[in-house]
Amino acid sequence: MSTLVEDNPAKNRFEILVDGALGGFTAYLPRGEVLVFTHTEVGSEFRNLGVGAALIRATLDQVRERGGRVVPRCPFMASFIDRHPEYAELVTTQP
């Protein structure tokens, strides 16, 4: 299974492509260097395959590379960050 995560600023979301098909996305509201993540969705055919975790990990890695911060209002992203404290420094409460 080949995956690629890309920012789609026109839709305010990061998308994961799985073997070329849209597997899911995590939506955000841009607030300067801070992205407020509001919702994550993974297609039913891609659930329980690690696609959601791969999406969030790659999204957070890209935010880190840009020097940005996140407000994880999405419960899935917040839970991922709780389980992976290496991303905790990206979290801010200031949107």
Side-chain angles (χ1 to χ4, degrees), residues 3-20:
T3 62
L4 172 69
V5 175
E6 294 182 314
D7 188 7
N8 183 341
K11 292 188 175 182
N12 288 339
R13 66 188 197 179
F14 281 82
E15 300 172 339
I16 187 165
L17 300 176
V18 180
D19 296 330

mmCIF file with all atom_site columns, all heavy atoms in Angstrom, residues 3-20:
data_model
loop_
_atom_site.group_PDB
_atom_site.id
_atom_site.type_symbol
_atom_site.label_atom_id
_atom_site.label_alt_id
_atom_site.label_comp_id
_atom_site.label_asym_id
_atom_site.label_entity_id
_atom_site.label_seq_id
_atom_site.pdbx_PDB_ins_code
_atom_site.Cartn_x
_atom_site.Cartn_y
_atom_site.Cartn_z
_atom_site.occupancy
_atom_site.B_iso_or_equiv
_atom_site.pdbx_formal_charge
_atom_site.auth_seq_id
_atom_site.auth_comp_id
_atom_site.auth_asym_id
_atom_site.auth_atom_id
_atom_site.pdbx_PDB_model_num
ATOM 1   N N   . THR A 1 3  ? 1.259   5.352  0.165  1.00 0.00 ? 3  THR A N   1
ATOM 2   C CA  . THR A 1 3  ? 0.520   6.516  0.644  1.00 0.00 ? 3  THR A CA  1
ATOM 3   C C   . THR A 1 3  ? 1.311   7.793  0.394  1.00 0.00 ? 3  THR A C   1
ATOM 4   O O   . THR A 1 3  ? 2.538   7.786  0.367  1.00 0.00 ? 3  THR A O   1
ATOM 5   C CB  . THR A 1 3  ? 0.200   6.418  2.147  1.00 0.00 ? 3  THR A CB  1
ATOM 6   O OG1 . THR A 1 3  ? 1.421   6.376  2.876  1.00 0.00 ? 3  THR A OG1 1
ATOM 7   C CG2 . THR A 1 3  ? -0.650  5.208  2.462  1.00 0.00 ? 3  THR A CG2 1
ATOM 8   N N   . LEU A 1 4  ? 0.576   8.872  0.218  1.00 0.00 ? 4  LEU A N   1
ATOM 9   C CA  . LEU A 1 4  ? 1.155   10.193 0.034  1.00 0.00 ? 4  LEU A CA  1
ATOM 10  C C   . LEU A 1 4  ? 0.239   11.186 0.734  1.00 0.00 ? 4  LEU A C   1
ATOM 11  O O   . LEU A 1 4  ? -0.981  11.152 0.534  1.00 0.00 ? 4  LEU A O   1
ATOM 12  C CB  . LEU A 1 4  ? 1.245   10.529 -1.459 1.00 0.00 ? 4  LEU A CB  1
ATOM 13  C CG  . LEU A 1 4  ? 1.651   11.964 -1.808 1.00 0.00 ? 4  LEU A CG  1
ATOM 14  C CD1 . LEU A 1 4  ? 3.109   12.211 -1.425 1.00 0.00 ? 4  LEU A CD1 1
ATOM 15  C CD2 . LEU A 1 4  ? 1.450   12.217 -3.290 1.00 0.00 ? 4  LEU A CD2 1
ATOM 16  N N   . VAL A 1 5  ? 0.818   12.044 1.564  1.00 0.00 ? 5  VAL A N   1
ATOM 17  C CA  . VAL A 1 5  ? 0.041   13.063 2.261  1.00 0.00 ? 5  VAL A CA  1
ATOM 18  C C   . VAL A 1 5  ? 0.452   14.426 1.727  1.00 0.00 ? 5  VAL A C   1
ATOM 19  O O   . VAL A 1 5  ? 1.638   14.756 1.692  1.00 0.00 ? 5  VAL A O   1
ATOM 20  C CB  . VAL A 1 5  ? 0.250   13.001 3.791  1.00 0.00 ? 5  VAL A CB  1
ATOM 21  C CG1 . VAL A 1 5  ? -0.465  14.147 4.494  1.00 0.00 ? 5  VAL A CG1 1
ATOM 22  C CG2 . VAL A 1 5  ? -0.235  11.661 4.328  1.00 0.00 ? 5  VAL A CG2 1
ATOM 23  N N   . GLU A 1 6  ? -0.552  15.197 1.299  1.00 0.00 ? 6  GLU A N   1
ATOM 24  C CA  . GLU A 1 6  ? -0.299  16.520 0.740  1.00 0.00 ? 6  GLU A CA  1
ATOM 25  C C   . GLU A 1 6  ? -1.286  17.523 1.328  1.00 0.00 ? 6  GLU A C   1
ATOM 26  O O   . GLU A 1 6  ? -2.446  17.193 1.574  1.00 0.00 ? 6  GLU A O   1
ATOM 27  C CB  . GLU A 1 6  ? -0.490  16.513 -0.777 1.00 0.00 ? 6  GLU A CB  1
ATOM 28  C CG  . GLU A 1 6  ? 0.524   15.677 -1.527 1.00 0.00 ? 6  GLU A CG  1
ATOM 29  C CD  . GLU A 1 6  ? 0.310   15.738 -3.028 1.00 0.00 ? 6  GLU A CD  1
ATOM 30  O OE1 . GLU A 1 6  ? -0.839  15.606 -3.474 1.00 0.00 ? 6  GLU A OE1 1
ATOM 31  O OE2 . GLU A 1 6  ? 1.306   15.921 -3.732 1.00 0.00 ? 6  GLU A OE2 1
ATOM 32  N N   . ASP A 1 7  ? -0.797  18.749 1.492  1.00 0.00 ? 7  ASP A N   1
ATOM 33  C CA  . ASP A 1 7  ? -1.664  19.846 1.900  1.00 0.00 ? 7  ASP A CA  1
ATOM 34  C C   . ASP A 1 7  ? -2.470  20.288 0.681  1.00 0.00 ? 7  ASP A C   1
ATOM 35  O O   . ASP A 1 7  ? -1.931  20.392 -0.420 1.00 0.00 ? 7  ASP A O   1
ATOM 36  C CB  . ASP A 1 7  ? -0.817  21.005 2.421  1.00 0.00 ? 7  ASP A CB  1
ATOM 37  C CG  . ASP A 1 7  ? -1.633  22.123 3.043  1.00 0.00 ? 7  ASP A CG  1
ATOM 38  O OD1 . ASP A 1 7  ? -2.865  21.962 3.210  1.00 0.00 ? 7  ASP A OD1 1
ATOM 39  O OD2 . ASP A 1 7  ? -1.034  23.157 3.369  1.00 0.00 ? 7  ASP A OD2 1
ATOM 40  N N   . ASN A 1 8  ? -3.755  20.506 0.869  1.00 0.00 ? 8  ASN A N   1
ATOM 41  C CA  . ASN A 1 8  ? -4.615  21.048 -0.179 1.00 0.00 ? 8  ASN A CA  1
ATOM 42  C C   . ASN A 1 8  ? -5.173  22.370 0.362  1.00 0.00 ? 8  ASN A C   1
ATOM 43  O O   . ASN A 1 8  ? -6.266  22.413 0.915  1.00 0.00 ? 8  ASN A O   1
ATOM 44  C CB  . ASN A 1 8  ? -5.744  20.066 -0.513 1.00 0.00 ? 8  ASN A CB  1
ATOM 45  C CG  . ASN A 1 8  ? -6.627  20.556 -1.646 1.00 0.00 ? 8  ASN A CG  1
ATOM 46  O OD1 . ASN A 1 8  ? -6.650  21.740 -1.960 1.00 0.00 ? 8  ASN A OD1 1
ATOM 47  N ND2 . ASN A 1 8  ? -7.360  19.643 -2.245 1.00 0.00 ? 8  ASN A ND2 1
ATOM 48  N N   . PRO A 1 9  ? -4.389  23.461 0.227  1.00 0.00 ? 9  PRO A N   1
ATOM 49  C CA  . PRO A 1 9  ? -4.817  24.724 0.821  1.00 0.00 ? 9  PRO A CA  1
ATOM 50  C C   . PRO A 1 9  ? -6.125  25.257 0.242  1.00 0.00 ? 9  PRO A C   1
ATOM 51  O O   . PRO A 1 9  ? -6.848  25.985 0.923  1.00 0.00 ? 9  PRO A O   1
ATOM 52  C CB  . PRO A 1 9  ? -3.662  25.681 0.549  1.00 0.00 ? 9  PRO A CB  1
ATOM 53  C CG  . PRO A 1 9  ? -2.719  24.994 -0.349 1.00 0.00 ? 9  PRO A CG  1
ATOM 54  C CD  . PRO A 1 9  ? -3.102  23.553 -0.429 1.00 0.00 ? 9  PRO A CD  1
ATOM 55  N N   . ALA A 1 10 ? -6.466  24.907 -0.972 1.00 0.00 ? 10 ALA A N   1
ATOM 56  C CA  . ALA A 1 10 ? -7.735  25.358 -1.563 1.00 0.00 ? 10 ALA A CA  1
ATOM 57  C C   . ALA A 1 10 ? -8.925  24.804 -0.789 1.00 0.00 ? 10 ALA A C   1
ATOM 58  O O   . ALA A 1 10 ? -9.984  25.431 -0.734 1.00 0.00 ? 10 ALA A O   1
ATOM 59  C CB  . ALA A 1 10 ? -7.813  24.938 -3.027 1.00 0.00 ? 10 ALA A CB  1
ATOM 60  N N   . LYS A 1 11 ? -8.752  23.634 -0.183 1.00 0.00 ? 11 LYS A N   1
ATOM 61  C CA  . LYS A 1 11 ? -9.831  23.011 0.603  1.00 0.00 ? 11 LYS A CA  1
ATOM 62  C C   . LYS A 1 11 ? -9.552  23.062 2.103  1.00 0.00 ? 11 LYS A C   1
ATOM 63  O O   . LYS A 1 11 ? -10.320 22.508 2.893  1.00 0.00 ? 11 LYS A O   1
ATOM 64  C CB  . LYS A 1 11 ? -10.027 21.556 0.163  1.00 0.00 ? 11 LYS A CB  1
ATOM 65  C CG  . LYS A 1 11 ? -10.587 21.431 -1.242 1.00 0.00 ? 11 LYS A CG  1
ATOM 66  C CD  . LYS A 1 11 ? -10.946 19.994 -1.548 1.00 0.00 ? 11 LYS A CD  1
ATOM 67  C CE  . LYS A 1 11 ? -11.623 19.889 -2.905 1.00 0.00 ? 11 LYS A CE  1
ATOM 68  N NZ  . LYS A 1 11 ? -12.020 18.519 -3.211 1.00 0.00 ? 11 LYS A NZ  1
ATOM 69  N N   . ASN A 1 12 ? -8.443  23.700 2.500  1.00 0.00 ? 12 ASN A N   1
ATOM 70  C CA  . ASN A 1 12 ? -8.057  23.778 3.918  1.00 0.00 ? 12 ASN A CA  1
ATOM 71  C C   . ASN A 1 12 ? -8.012  22.406 4.559  1.00 0.00 ? 12 ASN A C   1
ATOM 72  O O   . ASN A 1 12 ? -8.622  22.159 5.609  1.00 0.00 ? 12 ASN A O   1
ATOM 73  C CB  . ASN A 1 12 ? -8.990  24.702 4.710  1.00 0.00 ? 12 ASN A CB  1
ATOM 74  C CG  . ASN A 1 12 ? -8.777  26.157 4.374  1.00 0.00 ? 12 ASN A CG  1
ATOM 75  O OD1 . ASN A 1 12 ? -7.724  26.537 3.874  1.00 0.00 ? 12 ASN A OD1 1
ATOM 76  N ND2 . ASN A 1 12 ? -9.769  26.969 4.624  1.00 0.00 ? 12 ASN A ND2 1
ATOM 77  N N   . ARG A 1 13 ? -7.263  21.496 3.934  1.00 0.00 ? 13 ARG A N   1
ATOM 78  C CA  . ARG A 1 13 ? -7.125  20.167 4.517  1.00 0.00 ? 13 ARG A CA  1
ATOM 79  C C   . ARG A 1 13 ? -5.880  19.471 3.979  1.00 0.00 ? 13 ARG A C   1
ATOM 80  O O   . ARG A 1 13 ? -5.404  19.767 2.887  1.00 0.00 ? 13 ARG A O   1
ATOM 81  C CB  . ARG A 1 13 ? -8.360  19.319 4.244  1.00 0.00 ? 13 ARG A CB  1
ATOM 82  C CG  . ARG A 1 13 ? -8.586  18.967 2.786  1.00 0.00 ? 13 ARG A CG  1
ATOM 83  C CD  . ARG A 1 13 ? -9.933  18.307 2.599  1.00 0.00 ? 13 ARG A CD  1
ATOM 84  N NE  . ARG A 1 13 ? -10.036 17.610 1.315  1.00 0.00 ? 13 ARG A NE  1
ATOM 85  C CZ  . ARG A 1 13 ? -11.089 16.939 0.915  1.00 0.00 ? 13 ARG A CZ  1
ATOM 86  N NH1 . ARG A 1 13 ? -12.153 16.847 1.712  1.00 0.00 ? 13 ARG A NH1 1
ATOM 87  N NH2 . ARG A 1 13 ? -11.114 16.326 -0.242 1.00 0.00 ? 13 ARG A NH2 1
ATOM 88  N N   . PHE A 1 14 ? -5.366  18.563 4.792  1.00 0.00 ? 14 PHE A N   1
ATOM 89  C CA  . PHE A 1 14 ? -4.323  17.647 4.354  1.00 0.00 ? 14 PHE A CA  1
ATOM 90  C C   . PHE A 1 14 ? -5.034  16.385 3.908  1.00 0.00 ? 14 PHE A C   1
ATOM 91  O O   . PHE A 1 14 ? -5.954  15.907 4.582  1.00 0.00 ? 14 PHE A O   1
ATOM 92  C CB  . PHE A 1 14 ? -3.358  17.323 5.500  1.00 0.00 ? 14 PHE A CB  1
ATOM 93  C CG  . PHE A 1 14 ? -2.343  18.408 5.759  1.00 0.00 ? 14 PHE A CG  1
ATOM 94  C CD1 . PHE A 1 14 ? -2.673  19.516 6.526  1.00 0.00 ? 14 PHE A CD1 1
ATOM 95  C CD2 . PHE A 1 14 ? -1.063  18.315 5.239  1.00 0.00 ? 14 PHE A CD2 1
ATOM 96  C CE1 . PHE A 1 14 ? -1.758  20.513 6.777  1.00 0.00 ? 14 PHE A CE1 1
ATOM 97  C CE2 . PHE A 1 14 ? -0.121  19.308 5.488  1.00 0.00 ? 14 PHE A CE2 1
ATOM 98  C CZ  . PHE A 1 14 ? -0.471  20.415 6.251  1.00 0.00 ? 14 PHE A CZ  1
ATOM 99  N N   . GLU A 1 15 ? -4.613  15.841 2.777  1.00 0.00 ? 15 GLU A N   1
ATOM 100 C CA  . GLU A 1 15 ? -5.250  14.652 2.213  1.00 0.00 ? 15 GLU A CA  1
ATOM 101 C C   . GLU A 1 15 ? -4.239  13.522 2.121  1.00 0.00 ? 15 GLU A C   1
ATOM 102 O O   . GLU A 1 15 ? -3.060  13.758 1.848  1.00 0.00 ? 15 GLU A O   1
ATOM 103 C CB  . GLU A 1 15 ? -5.768  14.957 0.806  1.00 0.00 ? 15 GLU A CB  1
ATOM 104 C CG  . GLU A 1 15 ? -6.791  16.068 0.789  1.00 0.00 ? 15 GLU A CG  1
ATOM 105 C CD  . GLU A 1 15 ? -7.184  16.533 -0.601 1.00 0.00 ? 15 GLU A CD  1
ATOM 106 O OE1 . GLU A 1 15 ? -6.419  16.303 -1.570 1.00 0.00 ? 15 GLU A OE1 1
ATOM 107 O OE2 . GLU A 1 15 ? -8.265  17.138 -0.718 1.00 0.00 ? 15 GLU A OE2 1
ATOM 108 N N   . ILE A 1 16 ? -4.717  12.303 2.329  1.00 0.00 ? 16 ILE A N   1
ATOM 109 C CA  . ILE A 1 16 ? -3.866  11.127 2.145  1.00 0.00 ? 16 ILE A CA  1
ATOM 110 C C   . ILE A 1 16 ? -4.378  10.361 0.933  1.00 0.00 ? 16 ILE A C   1
ATOM 111 O O   . ILE A 1 16 ? -5.575  10.076 0.814  1.00 0.00 ? 16 ILE A O   1
ATOM 112 C CB  . ILE A 1 16 ? -3.799  10.233 3.404  1.00 0.00 ? 16 ILE A CB  1
ATOM 113 C CG1 . ILE A 1 16 ? -2.765  9.118  3.201  1.00 0.00 ? 16 ILE A CG1 1
ATOM 114 C CG2 . ILE A 1 16 ? -5.167  9.694  3.801  1.00 0.00 ? 16 ILE A CG2 1
ATOM 115 C CD1 . ILE A 1 16 ? -2.358  8.409  4.481  1.00 0.00 ? 16 ILE A CD1 1
ATOM 116 N N   . LEU A 1 17 ? -3.446  10.106 0.037  1.00 0.00 ? 17 LEU A N   1
ATOM 117 C CA  . LEU A 1 17 ? -3.751  9.287  -1.137 1.00 0.00 ? 17 LEU A CA  1
ATOM 118 C C   . LEU A 1 17 ? -3.214  7.895  -0.875 1.00 0.00 ? 17 LEU A C   1
ATOM 119 O O   . LEU A 1 17 ? -2.052  7.729  -0.489 1.00 0.00 ? 17 LEU A O   1
ATOM 120 C CB  . LEU A 1 17 ? -3.103  9.878  -2.387 1.00 0.00 ? 17 LEU A CB  1
ATOM 121 C CG  . LEU A 1 17 ? -3.544  11.297 -2.751 1.00 0.00 ? 17 LEU A CG  1
ATOM 122 C CD1 . LEU A 1 17 ? -2.749  11.806 -3.948 1.00 0.00 ? 17 LEU A CD1 1
ATOM 123 C CD2 . LEU A 1 17 ? -5.030  11.351 -3.033 1.00 0.00 ? 17 LEU A CD2 1
ATOM 124 N N   . VAL A 1 18 ? -4.053  6.902  -1.063 1.00 0.00 ? 18 VAL A N   1
ATOM 125 C CA  . VAL A 1 18 ? -3.680  5.501  -0.875 1.00 0.00 ? 18 VAL A CA  1
ATOM 126 C C   . VAL A 1 18 ? -3.747  4.841  -2.238 1.00 0.00 ? 18 VAL A C   1
ATOM 127 O O   . VAL A 1 18 ? -4.826  4.737  -2.830 1.00 0.00 ? 18 VAL A O   1
ATOM 128 C CB  . VAL A 1 18 ? -4.630  4.796  0.122  1.00 0.00 ? 18 VAL A CB  1
ATOM 129 C CG1 . VAL A 1 18 ? -4.218  3.345  0.305  1.00 0.00 ? 18 VAL A CG1 1
ATOM 130 C CG2 . VAL A 1 18 ? -4.667  5.535  1.447  1.00 0.00 ? 18 VAL A CG2 1
ATOM 131 N N   . ASP A 1 19 ? -2.596  4.448  -2.742 1.00 0.00 ? 19 ASP A N   1
ATOM 132 C CA  . ASP A 1 19 ? -2.513  3.876  -4.094 1.00 0.00 ? 19 ASP A CA  1
ATOM 133 C C   . ASP A 1 19 ? -3.240  4.761  -5.110 1.00 0.00 ? 19 ASP A C   1
ATOM 134 O O   . ASP A 1 19 ? -3.968  4.288  -5.973 1.00 0.00 ? 19 ASP A O   1
ATOM 135 C CB  . ASP A 1 19 ? -3.061  2.447  -4.119 1.00 0.00 ? 19 ASP A CB  1
ATOM 136 C CG  . ASP A 1 19 ? -2.230  1.500  -3.259 1.00 0.00 ? 19 ASP A CG  1
ATOM 137 O OD1 . ASP A 1 19 ? -1.013  1.723  -3.123 1.00 0.00 ? 19 ASP A OD1 1
ATOM 138 O OD2 . ASP A 1 19 ? -2.806  0.548  -2.709 1.00 0.00 ? 19 ASP A OD2 1
ATOM 139 N N   . GLY A 1 20 ? -3.061  6.095  -4.956 1.00 0.00 ? 20 GLY A N   1
ATOM 140 C CA  . GLY A 1 20 ? -3.630  7.050  -5.889 1.00 0.00 ? 20 GLY A CA  1
ATOM 141 C C   . GLY A 1 20 ? -5.062  7.483  -5.609 1.00 0.00 ? 20 GLY A C   1
ATOM 142 O O   . GLY A 1 20 ? -5.557  8.405  -6.238 1.00 0.00 ? 20 GLY A O   1
#
